[in-house]
Amino acid sequence: DITAAMLKVLSEHVNLTLAHRRLQWFARLLICITFMEDSMRMVTTFRNQTMTIIAVSRAGALPVAPENAWMVVVFSAVVQAAGSAAVLLEKRELLGCVTLIAWCFVHPAIYAQMGNYEFLAETLTVVGGLCILLSHLKEMRAARATILPGVSAQLPGAPASDWLCLLGRVLLCSYFVYYGFEKMRAIVVGKITVQAGMMEGVLMMLLGYVCALIVIGSRSRRIALGLACIMFVSNIVFHPFWYFWMIGHSVISVERLEDLKTRLPIDLSRLGSTMSPESSLGVYDHERYFFFQRLSTVGALVLLAVYGPGRHSVDEPNAPVHMERFTGKGRD
């Protein structure tokens, strides 16, 4: 296997175990970052968030009295901060992971976003990454209970964890499936020219093939890492919230930004045809949220690359591939 050979050569110069553990923590940070940012947003913009909950409550979308709206904001901040801290600090990380998964299902209902299919699809992708992490955590807990300290051994079978990992891979594709359907719909209704439509159609078929490989667990680690890199770059292009902040606080002029648009690959279409400091601040908050949510999607893909597809897969049907087996410098 080429990958194993490359890792073997690399392990002679780099402690792959340590590097792998750092990558695990980095992946956890990425998937938790949207929860951390949203929790901080609850605190720093407490009044605005409370007014939003009051508006949702008065619209009848949330069974909470307007005078108790502040409690929802506090609950949101505490749950997301506590769940993220548990996962990152590796203290009660199983509970923290389950808490974040539960919050992903509660959040759209609280903010009346059940009709926002893009938001729901990306949320399900993040849930998929959390399921993969939860699968790994459950298996490690089983390993600690059955393997003596200091003894290197293959992790025992954990059927429930394997099914959870499979569910995570399926959910991981949610955003890409939604994106593909939206592009195909645009082609069908004629929003895209014939030439562009043909190119988009080929790309969507390729995306569908890639998603199928992730679901069945074939070359899923490399595919997930490649998609993570693509999404990271696209996130910077399509959600550059810092530019909106700079316009809103007069750090950069609208004229200067118009000049930058011609030289930088950034999408500022959400400001509309007329840009102003007032309109940019409204877009800034929206784009900042989606920027960090997309980073968590990147984290979900990196988690798949780090932990692998599990036993219910084409690549690793017998057991997960562990970095330790390729490490020439031993275990830390």
Side-chain angles (χ1 to χ4, degrees):
D1 182 70
I2 297 177
T3 303
M6 291 175 61
L7 286 172
K8 185 177 180 180
V9 172
L10 186 62
S11 67
E12 297 176 359
H13 307 283
V14 179
N15 189 326
L16 292 184
T17 302
L18 180 60
H20 187 243
R21 290 178 181 174
R22 288 176 176 172
L23 184 59
Q24 289 182 44
W25 191 87
F26 179 66
R28 293 189 186 198
L29 174 63
L30 283 178
I31 201 167
C32 288
I33 199 165
T34 186
F35 304 105
M36 297 162 58
E37 190 275 337
D38 199 39
S39 177
M40 184 172 64
R41 181 203 303 265
M42 297 297 110
V43 176
T44 57
T45 61
F46 183 82
R47 180 179 176 82
N48 290 340
Q49 297 299 326
T50 302
M51 296 302 295
T52 299
I53 297 299
I54 290 175
V56 174
S57 175
R58 287 176 175 170
L62 185 65
V64 174
E67 58 270 20
N68 296 327
W70 66 272
M71 298 175 65
V72 176
V73 179
V74 172
F75 174 77
S76 171
V78 170
V79 167
Q80 294 183 89
S84 299
V87 171
L88 293 176
L89 299 177
E90 301 183 10
K91 302 293 184 182
R92 298 186 179 274
E93 48 194 340
L94 269 171
L95 179 60
C97 195
V98 171
T99 299
L100 294 180
I101 290 174
W103 175 254
C104 285
F105 289 102
V106 172
H107 188 201
I110 289 179
Y111 286 89
Q113 294 295 310
M114 299 304 293
N116 187 341
Y117 299 120
E118 180 180 6
F119 176 79
L120 293 177
E122 196 145 14
T123 298
L124 285 177
T125 296
V126 174
V127 171
L130 290 170
C131 285
I132 293 172
L133 175 60
L134 183 60
S135 170
H136 171 76
L137 295 177
K138 288 172 67 67
E139 191 158 353
M140 291 304 296
R141 184 173 70 171
R144 284 193 291 267
T146 56
I147 299 177
L148 294 175
V151 177
S152 177
Q154 189 65 50
L155 292 178
S161 297
D162 293 329
W163 286 111
L164 190 60
C165 194
L166 174 60
L167 174 63
R169 297 203 312 272
V170 173
L171 292 177
L172 199 62
C173 298
S174 299
Y175 176 75
F176 304 105
V177 172
Y178 167 82
Y179 179 81
F181 273 118
E182 283 297 300
K183 285 294 183 181
M184 294 303 293
R185 187 172 67 86
I187 294 172
V188 171
V189 300
K191 291 184 178 180
I192 302 177
T193 62
V194 176
Q195 293 82 359
M198 292 178 63
M199 180 64 69
E200 292 279 2
V202 172
L203 290 176
M204 291 310 102
M205 287 190 289
L206 178 61
L207 182 60
Y209 174 69
V210 165
C211 288
L213 290 178
I214 289 178
V215 170
I216 66 175
S218 177
R219 298 187 289 276
S220 52
R221 289 180 187 258
R222 281 167 281 187
I223 289 173
L225 197 57
L227 282 176
C229 293
I230 293 172
M231 290 203 70
F232 180 80
V233 173
S234 69
N235 195 28
I236 296 175
V237 172
F238 292 107
H239 300 289
F241 68 92
W242 49 90
Y243 287 115
F244 304 126
W245 182 88
M246 287 191 290
I247 295 176
H249 291 85
S250 301
V251 176
I252 186 174
S253 66
V254 174
E255 293 74 18
R256 173 60 177 163
L257 190 61
E258 287 284 4
D259 179 58
L260 286 175
K261 284 172 60 178
T262 63
R263 295 186 284 111
L264 295 176
I266 54 177
D267 179 16
L268 303 176
S269 59
R270 289 170 179 80
L271 279 176
S273 57
T274 58
M275 290 188 291
S276 67
E278 293 74 18
S279 64
S280 65
L281 283 178
V283 177
Y284 156 72
D285 191 63
H286 179 271
E287 290 301 298
R288 186 180 72 171
Y289 178 83
F290 278 99
F291 178 86
F292 284 103
Q293 188 185 43
R294 186 65 54 82
L295 277 186
S296 288
T297 302
V298 172
L301 291 165
V302 176
L303 282 170
L304 176 58
V306 169
Y307 294 128
R311 294 179 185 85
H312 294 316
S313 65
V314 174
D315 287 340
E316 303 168 19
N318 298 318
V321 175
H322 295 291
M323 192 62 69
E324 288 83 356
R325 73 173 61 169
F326 299 119
T327 304
K329 295 190 176 183
R331 298 171 63 93
D332 280 338

